[in-house]
Amino acid sequence: SGECQTDRYTCKGGGTEVWEPRFTYHGFRYVQVTGLKQPSLDNLRGRVVHTSFESAGSFQCANDLLNRIQECTRWSYISNFVGIPTDCPHREKNGWTGDAQLACETGLLNYAAAPAYAKWIQDLADEQRPNGQLPGIVPTGGWGYRWGSGPAWDSAIILIPWYLYQYCGDRRILETHYESMKRYIDYMVSRASGDLVRFGLGDWCPVEEGHMPSTRLTSSGFFFQDCSVMARIAHILEREEDRTRFRKLRREIGKAINTQLYDGAGKYGNGGQTAQSAALVQGFVQSTTCEQVVGSLVQAVEDKGGHLDFGILGAKFVLSALSSNGHAELAFSMATQEDFPSWGNWISKGATTLWEDWRGDNSLNHIMFGDVSRWMFENLAGLKPTQFDPGFSTFAVSPQLVGGLTWVKAEHESPYGPIRIHWERDEATFVLKLHVPVNATANVFLPTTSEDTVYEGGKPVAEAAPNVKKSGWLEDALVYSVDSGDYEFRVDLLQ
């Protein structure tokens, strides 16, 4: 016990004095000063304290609420990375592994945080027990192995190195921590019953406790996802025997989930938003039932009047699941709600950082709901890395035109150089301005099915430079492959 966040300083009494704490830091929004006869803003200076990494990305759009959510996310991110990725900068300052893995992609898109993650992943590996078990906080003095952990948290040992590979092209981190990753898979196998696991925390801080899916579903979902990722990593590192084993485990877990936790009519677990979206994003939905599962997710959202009904795991999955399965408009509507529960409701109450829970009863600076920024980059701006050409050597630009959104600007400093996306649209025209860095390739998805409606650099696309190549088409989009350079695509939407 004791006074939280309290520093005491006794003045020497010699006139002008300057002091700041050197061995601690405090998260705060307001400061109360008493005892000064004529206080002014010059009497106190606030310092922003965080691990030394530069900004590496920006996102802006025509929707001011999303811009404010993005700003809150960035502030929560940097104020929760001081040596380690923390949960909050004031109460605990603990390196919760769940918060770290859920916010990692957002972090890598917005900041050059890769070296800081590489250091912390080594801390995580150092805390791993010989049997593969991991604590929920890193570093730890011994607490967090029996509570506060579980696959949704522990998967940081696999997912964060995987994200560093995808976003930064860092193969070395996969090599360095491969054995630690394998040990954690072995630990989950040792805890499994009928190929499913149920230990650990689940969809933490939901809107309503009774709406959380079972940890049997969420923990098993991460077990499945981890095996999927490990199969890819094993292939990258030419560990084909391991790859075969991980793929076999993945099939067995998927079969168990679909046999024991699927009702046969489109619903996993409790049928809620987190359960349905986790199934779609983590990939254990069978192709023959995908449409039913998507329909159940949409129904779960509509049952809440278009509002969110999830905790921190659902915040990672729901918007992406909707956007990737033909319901981008619904995802946009959820993200821009302003009444309770929503990110916008926090903003309406004066939030300048993201909160720990939807009601605002606890910490008012947490990063664990921050994946919404990644969703903006990937779905509204359309910027997506690829699994097979890491570090944005090849990337997709596939903006979703939703909600009357008339423009989006996004930038990201990739290992190859800056990627810049700026699109605008009205009822008649869609214009995309794109910068592709040197030695990189972009696959550009344009909202048309007719090449006659597409222009690049003011010319019909068929007359464009040789480095603009039609590479495919979808039901509602044409795809062009472009090499490094600056491009301006225009699509006549009314033709």
Side-chain angles (χ1 to χ4, degrees):
S1 61
E3 294 176 301
C4 178
Q5 296 221 124
T6 301
D7 296 321
R8 298 189 183 278
Y9 173 73
T10 302
C11 294
K12 291 181 291 186
T16 301
E17 298 184 30
V18 177
W19 175 85
E20 69 176 88
R22 295 177 60 192
F23 302 107
T24 189
Y25 70 95
H26 304 298
F28 64 91
R29 182 174 178 186
Y30 302 106
V31 175
Q32 180 177 346
V33 178
T34 59
L36 289 180
K37 292 181 180 180
Q38 292 181 319
S40 73
L41 293 178
D42 294 329
N43 294 133
L44 203 66
R45 177 175 296 177
R47 290 190 182 273
V48 179
V49 177
H50 62 85
T51 296
S52 181
F53 43 64
E54 300 296 326
S55 178
S58 63
F59 176 91
Q60 292 178 296
C61 69
N63 185 289
D64 185 59
L65 175 58
L66 289 180
N67 293 335
R68 294 173 70 185
I69 294 170
Q70 164 72 357
E71 183 179 9
C72 287
T73 304
R74 284 173 60 88
W75 273 116
S76 284
Y77 185 82
I78 61 167
S79 58
N80 276 299
F81 214 126
V82 183
I84 61 173
T86 62
D87 57 335
C88 55
H90 50 284
R91 186 185 69 209
E92 296 179 17
K93 304 177 184 174
N94 277 327
W96 284 96
T97 54
D99 303 48
Q101 70 92 355
L102 292 170
C104 181
E105 290 183 277
T106 278
L108 293 174
L109 284 166
N110 282 282
Y111 292 97
Y117 278 119
K119 183 269 180 189
W120 185 74
I121 285 295
Q122 184 60 59
D123 295 343
L124 180 56
D126 290 344
E127 300 284 11
Q128 188 175 35
R129 289 177 169 173
N131 68 349
Q133 188 180 20
L134 291 164
I137 61 169
V138 173
T140 178
W143 184 90
Y145 289 95
R146 294 296 181 184
W147 189 89
S149 56
W153 271 242
D154 308 339
S155 292
I157 193 69
I158 294 171
L159 296 180
I160 291 180
W162 179 241
Y163 297 146
L164 291 174
Y165 175 74
Q166 284 188 290
Y167 287 82
C168 307
D170 187 357
R171 175 190 168 107
R172 182 175 57 181
I173 199 166
L174 303 181
E175 297 170 340
T176 300
H177 297 292
Y178 185 73
E179 294 303 321
S180 295
M181 298 179 200
K182 283 181 63 178
R183 277 196 298 275
Y184 187 67
I185 295 291
D186 292 341
Y187 177 70
M188 284 194 286
V189 170
S190 74
R191 296 291 303 270
S193 175
D195 295 315
L196 301 179
V197 293
R198 63 187 309 163
F199 68 98
L201 300 179
D203 197 21
W204 195 247
C205 290
V207 178
E208 297 182 41
E209 291 293 334
H211 292 183
M212 289 177 64
S214 69
T215 54
R216 195 170 179 227
L217 177 63
T218 53
S219 293
S220 296
F222 276 94
F223 189 13
F224 178 92
Q225 182 179 3
D226 289 347
C227 289
S228 298
V229 171
M230 285 301 292
R232 295 170 189 157
I233 293 173
H235 181 61
I236 292 165
L237 301 183
E238 300 179 352
R239 309 286 186 94
E240 293 304 322
E241 185 175 337
D242 285 346
R243 182 192 186 200
T244 299
R245 180 198 171 214
F246 293 135
R247 294 178 73 180
K248 182 175 183 291
L249 265 175
R250 176 183 180 274
R251 287 193 299 271
E252 291 169 349
I253 299 162
K255 181 178 179 181
I257 292 174
N258 283 292
T259 299
Q260 301 179 49
L261 302 177
Y262 179 63
D263 73 351
K267 292 184 180 180
Y268 285 89
N270 65 358
Q273 294 178 16
T274 297
Q276 299 303 107
S277 60
L280 292 162
V281 173
Q282 293 180 317
F284 50 81
V285 175
Q286 297 173 311
S287 59
T288 55
T289 61
C290 184
E291 186 175 345
Q292 285 181 298
V293 176
V294 172
S296 294
L297 172 59
V298 171
Q299 188 62 54
V301 175
E302 292 178 345
D303 287 345
K304 294 297 178 181
H307 285 82
L308 58 85
D309 184 25
F310 49 68
I312 62 175
L313 302 186
K316 181 73 176 177
F317 298 138
V318 172
L319 298 182
S320 291
L322 290 169
S323 297
S324 299
N325 289 280
H327 295 278
E329 289 284 357
L330 185 55
F332 181 83
S333 176
M334 290 184 77
T336 54
Q337 294 283 354
E338 297 187 54
D339 53 341
F340 175 83
S342 66
W343 288 278
N345 186 241
W346 294 346
I347 301 296
S348 72
K349 293 179 178 178
T352 56
T353 49
L354 304 182
W355 293 0
E356 183 180 10
D357 64 89
W358 295 113
R359 288 180 171 80
D361 293 335
N362 294 293
S363 163
L364 302 184
N365 188 353
H366 258 60
I367 189 56
M368 60 191 186
F369 284 106
D371 190 67
V372 62
S373 175
R374 177 208 52 87
W375 172 79
M376 294 183 209
F377 273 93
E378 291 199 1
N379 294 278
L380 302 183
L383 176 61
K384 299 180 182 179
T386 64
Q387 294 179 8
F388 305 106
D389 296 295
F392 292 95
S393 60
T394 301
F395 59 93
V397 180
S398 180
Q400 294 181 330
L401 311 188
V402 292
L405 200 63
T406 56
W407 63 267
V408 168
K409 290 182 180 179
E411 293 190 16
H412 175 67
E413 188 69 31
S414 78
Y416 290 84
I419 298 169
R420 290 189 286 269
I421 298 169
H422 177 197
W423 64 257
E424 298 179 1
R425 66 150 177 167
D426 55 28
E427 291 183 0
T429 309
F430 170 80
V431 177
L432 170 66
K433 296 178 181 179
L434 172 66
H435 175 76
V436 181
V438 174
N439 294 327
T441 300
N443 292 314
V444 182
F445 294 71
L446 297 175
T448 182
T449 57
S450 171
E451 194 167 24
D452 294 338
T453 66
V454 181
Y455 299 79
E456 196 286 312
K459 300 178 180 179
V461 72
E463 301 174 14
N467 56 346
V468 178
K469 306 177 184 70
K470 183 177 176 183
S471 60
W473 58 91
L474 302 176
E475 183 178 343
D476 58 353
L478 291 177
V479 186
Y480 292 87
S481 175
V482 298
D483 298 326
S484 60
D486 293 298
Y487 302 90
E488 182 173 324
F489 288 95
R490 180 169 63 84
V491 178
D492 291 338
L493 300 175
L494 297 183
Q495 285 194 32

